[in-house]
Amino acid sequence: MMGAITVDDKLFEEVDQIIDRYAGEETPLLCILQDLNAKFGYLPQPVLQRVSKKLGVPASKVYGVATFYSFLETRPVGKYVIRVCKSTPCHVRGATDVIKILKKELGIKEGETTRDGLFTLEVTSCLGVCGVAPAMMINETTYGNLSEGRIREILALYRQ
Ligand code: FES
């Protein structure tokens, strides 16, 4: 797991470099936050404050965008972020069981990260693959038609 990021000049230098890449663009906030999330693994408070200051955008707006999108994180997460869909089509096809199985397999609750820093478990809304419900994503990869056996197989791939 990535530890909490401390504030120092080097951090701000790196943040500024990413912000400066989008100089001249009209609404670069989401792109900047995506790049920063990719760089640090999540979006620490001091980073969000720096973005607000540099872009002249209110901190409440920056924080609002950072918390709205499920692919952006505002706290440290594991190497692999598992997002389980709980929207209606997935729900009626067993999302509750999927969440239960994952919690049992990983030994964590929703929003938590395993002790080894490998997995973070999150519950989210529609992933856009309702045809293969119930579904989940692990980082950028989507998995559908989940069953207990399939979930175990998938986790084993990431534990190797
Ligand atoms: S409802 Fe689960 S992917 Fe759309």
Side-chain angles (χ1 to χ4, degrees):
M1 182 173 28
M2 287 213 196
I5 289 171
T6 51
V7 185
D8 59 23
D9 290 347
K10 190 168 176 309
L11 172 77
F12 285 153
E13 223 173 81
E14 290 171 336
V15 173
D16 289 355
Q17 274 172 13
I18 287 177
I19 294 173
D20 291 343
R21 274 190 221 150
Y22 293 92
E25 288 196 23
E26 231 172 84
T27 50
L29 181 56
L30 184 56
C31 299
I32 289 171
L33 294 182
Q34 263 183 293
D35 286 3
L36 290 167
N37 197 94
K39 175 150 188 77
F40 299 114
Y42 76 108
L43 297 166
Q45 278 296 330
V47 167
L48 293 176
Q49 280 158 10
R50 183 71 173 186
V51 171
S52 160
K53 201 171 156 211
K54 275 270 285 183
L55 291 182
V57 172
S60 59
K61 186 173 177 200
V62 175
Y63 192 74
V65 172
T67 51
F68 180 79
Y69 292 97
S70 64
F71 53 84
L72 298 175
E73 301 290 344
T74 52
R75 61 201 160 68
V77 290
K79 184 171 177 200
Y80 303 115
V81 180
I82 304 176
R83 296 188 170 92
V84 187
C85 170
K86 59 151 201 237
S87 293
T88 309
C90 279
H91 180 74
V92 297
R93 299 199 59 186
T96 310
D97 286 339
V98 169
I99 295 165
K100 222 187 273 171
I101 293 160
L102 282 165
K103 281 181 177 169
K104 198 177 120 210
E105 285 291 318
L106 300 172
I108 53 174
K109 299 193 192 105
E110 287 166 38
E112 290 183 348
T113 299
T114 52
R115 268 170 177 267
D116 59 6
L118 206 54
F119 297 105
T120 297
L121 179 61
E122 291 186 351
V123 174
T124 183
S125 47
C126 186
L127 299 168
V129 291
C130 323
V132 293
M136 68 177 177
M137 273 182 95
I138 301 185
N139 291 357
E140 306 305 320
T141 309
T142 308
Y143 298 94
N145 296 319
L146 297 173
S147 61
E148 184 156 7
R150 182 147 163 77
I151 291 170
R152 286 222 187 91
E153 278 169 22
I154 294 165
L155 291 180
L157 293 175
Y158 289 85
R159 281 175 167 144
Q160 280 170 6

